[in-house]
Amino acid sequence: MKVKLNVKRFDPEKGSRVYFQKYEVDMDDQATVLDALIHVREYVDPTLAFRCSCRSAICGSCGMRINGMAGLGCKTKIFQVAPNGEEINVEPMGNMKVLRDLIVDMGMFWDKIRAVEPWLQPTGPEPEREHIVPNQAMIDLTVAMNCIMCGSCVSDCTVMEVDKSFLGPAALAKAYRFVDDPRDGHTEERIEKYSKPGGIWDCTHCYFCVQVCPKDVAPMDRILDIREAALNAGIKNNNGSRHSDSFANSVKISGWLDEGRLAVESHGYTNIPELLPLIPVGLRVMMAGKMPSPIHHKRPGSKYVKQLFEKLEG
Amino acid sequence: MVKYAFYTGCVSKGGAPELYQSITAVAPKLGLEFEELEGAACTGAGVLTERNEELADTLNARTFAMAERLNLPIMTICSTCQGVMSQANHRLKTNPGYLQRVNQHLAVEGLKYNGTATVKHFMWFLAEDYGLTNLQSKVVRPLTGIKLAAFYGCYVLRPTKDLEYDEHPERGEYLDQIISALGGVPIDYSGKTKCCGFPILTMNEKNSVTMSGNHMMEVKELGGEAMVTPCPLCHLSLDGYQPQAGKIKNVQIGMPIIHLPQAVGLALGIPPQTLGLNKHIVSTASFVGRVRS
Ligand code: SF4
Ligand code: SF4
Ligand code: FES
């Protein structure tokens, strides 16, 4: 099978030029993008730089952007991304500094992981032998444990693109792994810490990390798991949980969303500095001739919605 | 006439009434008949799912049961409603035990969901059922030569496994295809499939409007004249908060943000006022003027 690659290249030793280079190689039908890159390096162009090791989606070193989406070169079959022999775009991962060709500086990635304190912090007397936990308690954690630290989720995270202080999907998925570990003794402190700016409430639900993660960690879902734990633990002194509570309350009472109230309640009724900027927003809406009615009517049958909330939120 | 159980979503009845106005004006032109699901609750927009998945899924199952009772497929006009409903429907359809439990909750109201509901975004309907050639043939006021940027909204793009992309692999390109069918020139840009920033507007306004600002500036630099979106939440962010995004970017962005049914309606010859194109925060005049001329 003919494989056409279009690889983004950059070599700081040769100046600041970033350019795309095309390669055409002959590969086996089952070949992966990484196989093709290795072939290029071995037989066509020894200057092409990229990381790899296991070639079986275990080590996490071959993260790269293939046709615009992050993923593992060794897990992406050529026929999946170029079923009709199309050219395949290969670029380094995003959100991290490119060192050379497809190699990025993962320093920021590891800093974030370290920042969530990814080690067990038990309290109480040390058990004589190992900690014994029921299997059931560990099942939810196994998903997060599957992470191989490839950086794909961080590469495509839309919030990290605009704010490097965001802890990001990989670190927060790792954080969840300890929040939910029955052996850990600092669950509340952890949740408090992860609820701060740059933490769980800054994720924008874009699903990029879920889509690109090669190990089905679904980092966003793990972030939402920590949010749920935060709400259950009553760690609520932030706009994120106020927004969540107000949203739920509005649907509970009326069956649907009261947007005006949601905007105010998310900031908190007494938070004047954050509420003042809402005034021009409201004025603009009024000028556009679409101020919603000040009375938020209930949807027909909303009493049943309320009953469902009472039964299930219990 | 094709009949749908119409799920309006909260926003078209709240912050974006021009969306409701435009879909109601466009529907008859496309032979669409709506039976509005007036008693349906909010999908939870993902917020309720993260608090309590079973509760959110039950609210959506309730909506599905209402549509089943009418024996009609559901139509949505919001990427977020669509995504949340698709995900809920997927969980309910693939887990009989779960569905049974959810049905126990619904029994009080005399409702039962049998797992047969289909939920279709207006955008998907246009491309998959109505047909783009058919749409093209109905255009009386083509958007000829107008450079338009599609902005999809996360929930109709990801995760693809819950959105039937296996059966419909082109779902991520429909908006561009529709723009072409209307005579417009879709522009390619990196922000097209990214997040509008809306979900974190109240948590981190700076990040939120930096995101939307980046997309709009990219479109502007590529000569885009307006952006078209199938999601009213993206609209709130891109249109409603454009002044704040402009402040962060230090420019007056001036990018008209058009709801999908408005773009379709305009090309089908419906007057701009009827489509609520006068009810935007950022004036749509430059875009509407181009269509007229
Ligand atoms: S869902 Fe959240 S963490 Fe995941 S990529 Fe999007 S913003 Fe980042
Ligand atoms: S969560 Fe998934 S994408 Fe992110 S680093 Fe771990 S394995 Fe890679
Ligand atoms: S080479 Fe190890 S994960 Fe790809």
Side-chain angles (χ1 to χ4, degrees):
Chain A
M1 158 177 70
K2 280 252 173 305
V3 180
K4 290 186 220 153
L5 297 172
N6 188 30
V7 186
K8 196 171 188 180
R9 305 221 40 199
F10 163 67
D11 183 352
E13 284 169 17
K14 293 193 187 136
S16 56
R17 196 164 84 95
V18 178
Y19 58 102
F20 278 90
Q21 186 160 355
K22 293 187 195 295
Y23 300 102
E24 238 185 90
V25 288
D26 237 325
M27 300 297 299
D28 183 89
D29 283 354
Q30 290 298 315
T32 65
V33 172
L34 181 65
D35 292 333
L37 289 169
I38 293 175
H39 187 93
V40 169
R41 192 180 59 190
E42 299 299 310
Y43 303 105
V44 185
D45 179 357
T47 69
L48 183 63
F50 54 89
R51 286 195 187 104
C52 68
S53 175
C54 71
R55 293 196 273 169
S56 26
I58 294 168
C59 73
S61 53
C62 67
M64 56 187 73
R65 266 195 181 148
I66 301 164
N67 287 345
M69 286 282 239
L72 300 176
C74 72
K75 209 190 167 197
T76 312
K77 295 261 169 97
I78 307 268
F79 70 77
Q80 290 172 314
V81 284
N84 305 308
E86 298 91 337
E87 184 173 84
I88 304 167
N89 253 310
V90 185
E91 295 169 72
M93 288 195 287
N95 285 334
M96 288 166 275
K97 192 175 160 239
V98 181
L99 296 175
R100 198 181 138 181
D101 296 341
L102 302 178
I103 298 178
V104 297
D105 180 355
M106 298 275 292
M108 172 269 262
F109 178 92
W110 297 113
D111 289 345
K112 306 274 180 203
I113 298 277
R114 244 172 263 127
V116 303
E117 302 187 6
W119 52 85
L120 211 52
Q121 299 175 18
T123 42
E126 212 168 294
E128 244 168 61
R129 297 180 60 188
E130 67 271 67
H131 287 271
I132 311 278
V133 286
N135 264 346
Q136 203 51 38
M138 301 303 280
I139 282 176
D140 281 350
L141 294 186
T142 52
V143 187
M145 286 175 185
N146 283 339
C147 172
I148 57 170
M149 310 274 175
C150 68
S152 295
C153 54
V154 165
S155 158
D156 286 13
C157 173
T158 51
V159 168
M160 294 184 106
E161 201 172 277
V162 298
D163 183 358
K164 295 286 180 270
S165 77
F166 180 43
L167 280 169
L172 287 169
K174 185 59 72 192
Y176 163 76
R177 186 240 165 282
F178 291 94
V179 164
D180 208 38
D181 192 314
R183 298 166 298 175
D184 197 86
H186 289 85
T187 313
E188 288 230 346
E189 291 91 323
R190 283 186 186 275
I191 298 175
E192 294 261 9
K193 183 175 157 137
Y194 310 146
S195 297
K196 297 221 166 86
I200 48 172
W201 297 106
D202 274 5
C203 159
T204 185
H205 265 217
C206 74
Y207 285 97
F208 261 106
C209 54
V210 178
Q211 182 72 29
V212 301
C213 173
K215 302 306 268 186
D216 289 332
V217 173
M220 184 192 102
D221 292 336
R222 306 292 76 80
I223 294 173
L224 304 189
D225 286 337
I226 310 181
R227 286 188 186 178
E228 192 182 348
L231 293 170
N232 291 338
I235 299 166
K236 292 191 174 185
N237 192 20
N238 52 65
N239 288 7
S241 46
R242 273 191 292 269
H243 173 269
S244 181
D245 280 346
S246 168
F247 193 112
N249 206 30
S250 158
V251 180
K252 178 178 175 179
I253 292 168
S254 63
W256 58 318
L257 197 58
D258 184 347
E259 293 159 318
R261 197 164 145 186
L262 179 68
V264 176
E265 287 186 351
S266 300
H267 296 287
Y269 282 109
T270 52
N271 190 347
I272 305 299
E274 282 188 20
L275 288 177
L276 282 178
L278 290 180
I279 295 172
V281 176
L283 284 175
R284 279 186 214 112
V285 173
M286 210 147 82
M287 301 269 286
K290 52 174 179 178
M291 200 63 172
S293 145
I295 308 154
H296 182 70
H297 297 283
K298 288 183 179 173
R299 302 281 279 176
S302 63
K303 71 166 193 218
Y304 292 109
V305 173
K306 192 166 177 216
Q307 280 174 12
L308 288 172
F309 267 85
E310 279 159 358
K311 178 173 178 193
L312 291 161
E313 280 222 310
Chain B
M1 276 293 185
V2 217
K3 205 167 169 187
Y4 275 90
F6 180 37
Y7 184 81
T8 66
C10 305
V11 185
S12 82
K13 289 291 183 98
E18 70 281 3
L19 172 59
Y20 184 77
Q21 211 176 314
S22 59
I23 188 75
T24 342
V26 164
K29 292 242 174 201
L30 300 172
L32 269 174
E33 199 187 329
F34 287 154
E35 173 122 11
E36 200 171 309
L37 291 168
E38 284 176 350
C42 171
T43 63
V47 178
L48 290 185
T49 315
E50 83 190 31
R51 287 173 73 90
N52 188 326
E53 191 166 283
E54 189 165 330
L55 170 60
D57 286 352
T58 306
L59 293 180
N60 287 305
R62 183 173 170 269
T63 305
F64 302 154
M66 289 174 177
E68 264 180 350
R69 197 175 260 185
L70 297 170
N71 205 9
L72 292 174
I74 297 172
M75 180 168 288
T76 66
I77 46 171
C78 166
S79 298
T80 308
C81 295
Q82 179 64 48
V84 174
M85 284 183 159
S86 288
Q87 291 172 23
N89 209 8
H90 182 78
R91 281 189 290 270
L92 294 162
K93 282 184 175 181
T94 51
N95 190 342
Y98 185 48
L99 177 61
Q100 203 181 0
R101 202 165 68 228
V102 164
N103 272 328
Q104 281 165 5
H105 306 322
L106 292 180
V108 201
E109 200 178 343
L111 285 169
K112 181 170 183 256
Y113 178 43
N114 298 305
T116 66
T118 53
V119 190
K120 201 150 223 186
H121 193 290
F122 174 62
M123 173 172 72
W124 295 353
F125 160 79
L126 286 178
E128 290 162 10
D129 303 322
Y130 195 75
L132 296 170
T133 344
N134 203 7
L135 178 63
Q136 199 171 6
S137 71
K138 294 279 170 0
V139 170
V140 296
R141 202 162 47 188
L143 314 182
T144 313
I146 310 180
K147 285 186 158 185
L148 295 172
F151 194 86
Y152 285 84
C154 300
Y155 274 86
V156 283
L157 294 169
R158 293 173 295 274
T160 45
K161 66 173 170 47
D162 293 340
L163 294 163
E164 298 145 347
Y165 270 63
D166 285 346
E167 285 160 63
H168 308 283
E170 288 183 21
R171 281 193 167 170
E173 290 153 43
Y174 288 168
L175 194 48
D176 292 86
Q177 294 171 355
I178 292 168
I179 290 172
S180 298
L182 301 177
V185 184
I187 62 171
D188 212 9
Y189 67 110
S190 73
K192 182 158 75 178
T193 58
K194 289 185 184 166
C195 177
C196 68
F198 182 79
I200 48 167
L201 202 45
T202 51
M203 291 74 142
N204 193 329
E205 184 175 313
K206 182 165 168 267
N207 282 358
S208 174
V209 300
T210 307
M211 287 164 119
S212 61
N214 284 350
H215 308 324
M216 291 187 281
M217 291 310 288
E218 191 187 1
V219 169
K220 215 175 149 137
E221 271 150 33
L222 291 166
E225 296 167 70
M227 292 168 80
V228 182
T229 181
C231 182
L233 295 180
C234 296
H235 194 274
L236 285 178
S237 175
L238 296 166
D239 178 60
Y241 274 75
Q242 199 176 121
Q244 286 86 332
K247 224 182 225 170
I248 288 238
K249 295 276 163 200
N250 256 324
V251 284
Q252 179 128 21
I253 302 177
M255 178 65 65
I257 311 294
I258 312 299
H259 295 286
L260 174 61
Q262 290 179 321
V264 175
L266 211 55
L268 296 185
I270 301 172
Q273 289 264 11
T274 312
L275 297 164
L277 278 154
N278 53 332
K279 288 191 180 156
H280 290 218
I281 301 300
V282 178
S283 167
T284 61
S286 60
F287 165 69
V288 173
R290 287 274 278 131
V291 185
R292 275 183 175 157
S293 57

